Amino acid sequence: MSASGSGETAGFPRTGRPPTSKAEYVHETLRHEIVNGVHPPGSSVNQDEVATRLGVSITPVREALRRLESDGLVTYRAHHGATVSALGVEAAEELRLLRASVEGLSARLAAQRITEGQLAELTAVHDRMVAAARDSADSQELARDSHLFHQMVADIGGPALLGGHVRSLRRNNPILETVSRWKDPARVRLYLDAHGEMLRAFAQGDAEEAERLMAEHILASPGEDADR
């Protein structure tokens, strides 16, 4: 579909607003496709194919690929073009440890700062996930709500710095939704139980317990699939 159409290619989610430029349109479309495994790690991204498919010239495609390179999602080499990046084993482990530290701290602070209204909103997300799991919902829906749950905790605990840091970590190191651990029914209950225990710690204002639960929750998830 061309950029002059509805602004949505197959599988491209509506953002609630039109792209501000063709380059943004291409960037968000390719980003969505990469995260959803349309372009798996190690695969090349053909600029001419993308331009033709999205109905734009080669210039916004090149600009979008430069942004994706800055995001860490593709690597670009002269005469070889763009290739979808793969998160190496060491990088994945560092990311897991970093997330455990940063999100653990945000959970500690959230337990000290959370309001009744914020706790109610966080509980509503958890309850929605429990109902979705009971109804065998799409794993991507569960993954998205899990992402929301964690980001809400980070924003509550660290509105000045930590929330933005967690958002940046996730955005620049996305986990493919197609390999999400939320696709594994055996893990869904473990993840939901961990979220429920965190909610109890928040309700009790138990900062130490909230930090411990969040860190253990992330570290218990293997490798780059942590909590997704």
Side-chain angles (χ1 to χ4, degrees):
M1 182 177 293
S2 72
S4 62
S6 68
E8 180 178 89
T9 60
F12 181 67
R14 295 186 183 275
T15 61
R17 59 172 178 76
T20 58
S21 68
K22 290 181 179 179
E24 183 191 11
Y25 168 67
V26 177
H27 173 266
E28 291 304 316
T29 301
L30 288 178
R31 179 183 175 81
H32 177 73
E33 292 176 349
I34 290 171
V35 170
N36 282 278
V38 176
H39 306 290
S43 66
S44 60
V45 181
N46 186 291
Q47 297 181 38
D48 292 331
E49 184 277 329
V50 172
T52 299
R53 175 162 58 89
L54 299 185
V56 299
S57 69
I58 201 71
T59 299
V61 175
R62 288 174 177 164
E63 183 178 339
L65 289 173
R66 284 195 295 270
R67 289 182 58 188
L68 289 168
E69 184 177 28
S70 179
D71 292 342
L73 293 180
V74 304
T75 55
Y76 188 87
R77 289 169 41 192
H79 311 300
H80 290 83
T83 302
V84 178
S85 301
L87 193 63
V89 174
E90 290 184 359
E93 178 62 11
E94 288 181 15
L95 176 61
R96 190 166 67 113
L97 293 171
L98 181 58
R99 280 192 57 205
S101 296
V102 174
E103 295 194 42
L105 176 57
S106 70
R108 167 182 281 274
L109 295 175
Q112 298 170 345
R113 298 172 173 173
I114 196 165
T115 66
E116 290 186 4
Q118 290 169 331
L119 181 60
E121 291 176 358
L122 200 57
T123 300
V125 173
H126 175 67
D127 290 346
R128 184 169 69 219
M129 294 179 69
V130 171
R134 186 172 56 244
D135 296 336
S136 301
D138 190 317
S139 63
Q140 292 188 19
E141 179 182 341
L142 288 169
R144 285 191 291 270
D145 270 345
S146 176
H147 182 143
L148 175 61
F149 183 95
H150 280 251
Q151 189 60 56
M152 288 173 68
V153 171
D155 288 337
I156 292 167
L161 292 174
L162 289 176
H165 191 46
V166 169
R167 188 173 289 103
S168 178
L169 279 174
R170 288 178 176 273
R171 179 170 180 80
N172 293 334
N173 302 278
I175 305 303
L176 293 180
E177 292 184 6
T178 51
V179 298
S180 168
R181 284 290 171 172
W182 289 98
K183 295 175 73 71
D184 182 356
R187 292 187 175 275
V188 170
R189 176 48 56 189
L190 294 177
Y191 290 157
L192 291 177
D193 285 349
H195 286 184
E197 290 175 3
M198 280 183 239
L199 286 171
R200 284 189 285 276
F202 294 145
Q204 295 166 3
D206 191 336
E208 183 176 346
E209 179 71 354
E211 181 175 26
R212 182 189 69 80
L213 288 168
M214 178 65 83
E216 289 185 355
H217 173 49
I218 294 173
L219 291 174
S221 302
E224 64 183 51
D225 292 340
D227 185 56
R228 297 295 189 90

